[in-house]
Amino acid sequence: MRIDHLFKHTEYIASVAAWIYDEFVIKTGGSISFNEVVAYLSNTNDRSFPMAFVAIVDNECVGTVSIFKNDLKTQEALTPWLASLYVSPRHRGQGIRYKLIKHVQEVVKELGYEAVYLRTEHTSEYYKSLGWIFAYNAVDEKGQETEVFKYTLMA
């Protein structure tokens, strides 16, 4: 498996957009369109946020993760954020999710940040098991309760 920037693999943008749209827009009551997700992903790069990465196994995209400047509009001071973590169902349980998370941590550290944040509504125990620290409960711009976690990057 290798992890690389999505913009270097444009053939996967539609698939990744479908995953993100289904998991993080439709299921959460989001209001952006599928085409807006495609446009957003089409504008990622390796110099500034947002950044999007794909996990590739045998020329198949099997997962994705992003780094956003902010993933919780009610918490604008915190940056950057791990976001849109997704692994295709038939590739789960193989450590891909863990490797995508570690990749984000490495990139954020290389960019000079001391910490990375994430929000979750359902997977707090998993992130705790990886050393993420619960920061606090928050409410997003849609009124949904979420938990904010922080991972401090060691020098």
Side-chain angles (χ1 to χ4, degrees):
M1 182 192 75
R2 66 187 174 108
I3 299 172
D4 202 0
H5 285 277
L6 176 59
F7 78 87
K8 294 179 180 179
H9 302 276
T10 57
E11 69 272 22
Y12 300 133
I13 289 176
S15 298
V16 170
W19 290 338
I20 291 172
Y21 185 72
D22 290 345
E23 290 294 317
F24 304 108
V25 177
I26 297 293
K27 288 184 180 177
T28 64
S31 60
I32 64 173
S33 71
F34 175 76
N35 289 336
E36 288 173 302
V37 175
V38 170
Y40 189 81
L41 292 172
S42 297
N43 289 314
T44 61
N45 63 76
D46 61 356
R47 295 173 308 281
S48 62
F49 305 129
M51 293 180 179
F53 302 93
V54 287
I56 302 167
V57 175
D58 297 328
N59 294 317
E60 178 185 358
C61 181
V62 300
T64 188
V65 69
S66 295
I67 305 172
F68 293 169
K69 180 178 181 181
N70 183 276
D71 193 31
L72 188 57
K73 290 180 178 56
T74 61
Q75 307 297 312
E76 289 288 339
L78 305 180
T79 193
W81 292 68
L82 181 149
S84 303
L85 176 62
Y86 183 86
V87 175
S88 68
R90 69 184 189 93
H91 290 93
R92 293 178 183 166
Q94 300 173 24
I96 296 168
R97 174 173 61 167
Y98 174 79
K99 290 175 184 173
L100 286 165
I101 292 167
K102 285 298 183 189
H103 186 78
V104 164
Q105 292 168 337
E106 291 168 13
V107 169
V108 168
K109 184 176 179 180
E110 288 172 10
L111 291 171
Y113 291 92
E114 295 179 4
V116 60
Y117 300 88
L118 66 81
R119 63 177 286 182
T120 184
E121 291 78 41
H122 309 292
T123 56
S124 59
E125 292 306 315
Y126 176 72
Y127 288 107
K128 286 178 186 176
S129 76
L130 298 180
W132 289 75
I133 304 299
F134 171 77
Y136 50 84
N137 289 311
V139 177
D140 71 11
E141 64 278 4
K142 296 179 282 186
Q144 180 178 6
E145 293 183 13
T146 190
E147 295 177 310
V148 175
F149 280 79
K150 177 181 180 180
Y151 189 89
T152 302
L153 305 162
M154 300 301 166

